[in-house]
Amino acid sequence: MAEKTLKFVLLGEDKASGAVKHFEGAITDLNREIRKSTREVSIWRRGIDRVRTGMKGVTGLIFSLRGALLALSLGYVAKQTVEVANSFEQYRMTLQVLEKGIDAGNKKFQELLVFATQTPYRINEVMEAYKTLKAYGLDPTIETMTALGDTAAAMGKEVLPRLAYAFGQMAATGKVMAQDLMQLSNAGVNVGDALRSGFNIGRAELEKLNEAIAAGVVDMQDVIDVFMGYMR
């Protein structure tokens, strides 16, 4: 009886020892898998960190480029602003001389500036036309500039300085040359119709009028006023 009991105990211990070893082996395998998973998670996290670092670099580069472009744009705008301010001051000083007075020059500058903003022309184009007319002894008003501007705009902005030159030549010479009439015609002015309606004459009298104008018999200011009135 004692011998059987001893065998049972030894057999139980042997089975228990095997179970314990099997359990320990399972624990070891589980620990191994945990360590493997931990390493994989660590690798994955390092990869994410590299991506984040790279994105920070790209973002920084984007902001740097954006900042550089903004700085260039602001620099260009500042330069343009200074150039425009200098041009405006030069125009103002020129008009002060042409109008023979600071107040008169400043007032005329404001008038021409407003005129330019309401037309297709830039202030420098308006100024050049105005200076041309003044240089030839004319005293152009805003109404005169409007008539010239509207007529020239219909044919192209480049016509404005040619019109100003044509009227300037008429005023300076006291005659209407063929080239002046050509300039007016090219600008869309019906010269014959303008003279007939302005001087209230018929077709038969137009040739005599042209001869009188060419000879300087007719007051040139009257001729200029007729053309200006026709263009309004």
Side-chain angles (χ1 to χ4, degrees), residues 15-70:
K15 288 183 178 181
S17 176
V20 169
K21 289 180 179 179
H22 179 74
F23 179 74
E24 289 176 346
I27 292 298
T28 301
D29 291 341
L30 179 60
N31 287 333
R32 187 183 299 113
E33 290 299 323
I34 290 173
R35 287 194 297 272
K36 181 180 178 181
S37 297
T38 302
R39 285 195 300 271
E40 290 176 351
V41 169
S42 178
I43 293 171
W44 179 77
R45 285 179 175 174
R46 286 198 297 271
I48 292 297
D49 289 339
R50 290 194 187 99
V51 171
R52 286 176 176 172
T53 301
M55 288 302 295
K56 288 179 180 178
V58 172
T59 303
L61 178 60
I62 291 173
F63 279 109
S64 296
L65 290 173
R66 187 176 296 172
L69 291 174
L70 179 59

Side-chain angles (χ1 to χ4, degrees), residues 134-185:
K134 290 289 287 187
Y136 283 107
L138 294 172
D139 190 19
T141 63
I142 292 300
E143 289 75 17
T144 299
M145 296 298 296
T146 301
L148 291 174
D150 290 346
T151 301
M155 303 300 292
K157 292 199 302 180
E158 67 280 358
V159 174
L160 179 60
R162 297 206 296 265
L163 275 177
Y165 178 77
F167 281 108
Q169 284 286 92
M170 293 180 200
T173 61
K175 299 178 182 179
V176 179
M177 309 300 290
Q179 62 184 13
D180 299 328
L181 296 178
M182 183 65 69
Q183 292 280 18
L184 296 178
S185 296

Side-chain angles (χ1 to χ4, degrees), residues 11 19 22-23 48 61 83 98 117 145 183 210-211 225:
L11 180 61
H22 179 74
F23 179 74
I48 292 297
L61 178 60
E83 290 179 355
L98 292 175
T117 61
M145 296 298 296
Q183 292 280 18
N210 285 332
E211 292 175 356
D225 289 343

Side-chain angles (χ1 to χ4, degrees), residues 47-172:
I48 292 297
D49 289 339
R50 290 194 187 99
V51 171
R52 286 176 176 172
T53 301
M55 288 302 295
K56 288 179 180 178
V58 172
T59 303
L61 178 60
I62 291 173
F63 279 109
S64 296
L65 290 173
R66 187 176 296 172
L69 291 174
L70 179 59
L72 288 173
S73 298
L74 291 176
Y76 176 77
V77 170
K79 180 182 177 183
Q80 292 297 105
T81 301
V82 171
E83 290 179 355
V84 169
N86 290 337
S87 297
F88 277 22
E89 186 59 27
Q90 186 61 48
Y91 296 151
R92 195 188 303 276
M93 293 173 63
T94 298
L95 289 170
Q96 288 171 2
V97 174
L98 292 175
E99 299 299 320
K100 297 180 174 59
I102 294 177
D103 292 339
N106 291 341
K107 180 181 178 181
K108 183 59 66 174
F109 175 73
Q110 291 299 324
E111 290 178 355
L112 293 178
L113 188 61
V114 171
F115 171 77
T117 61
Q118 297 172 346
T119 68
Y121 305 100
R122 295 191 297 269
I123 182 62
N124 62 309
E125 295 170 322
V126 173
M127 277 294 301
E128 288 304 314
Y130 185 83
K131 287 193 298 181
T132 298
L133 293 170
K134 290 289 287 187
Y136 283 107
L138 294 172
D139 190 19
T141 63
I142 292 300
E143 289 75 17
T144 299
M145 296 298 296
T146 301
L148 291 174
D150 290 346
T151 301
M155 303 300 292
K157 292 199 302 180
E158 67 280 358
V159 174
L160 179 60
R162 297 206 296 265
L163 275 177
Y165 178 77
F167 281 108
Q169 284 286 92
M170 293 180 200

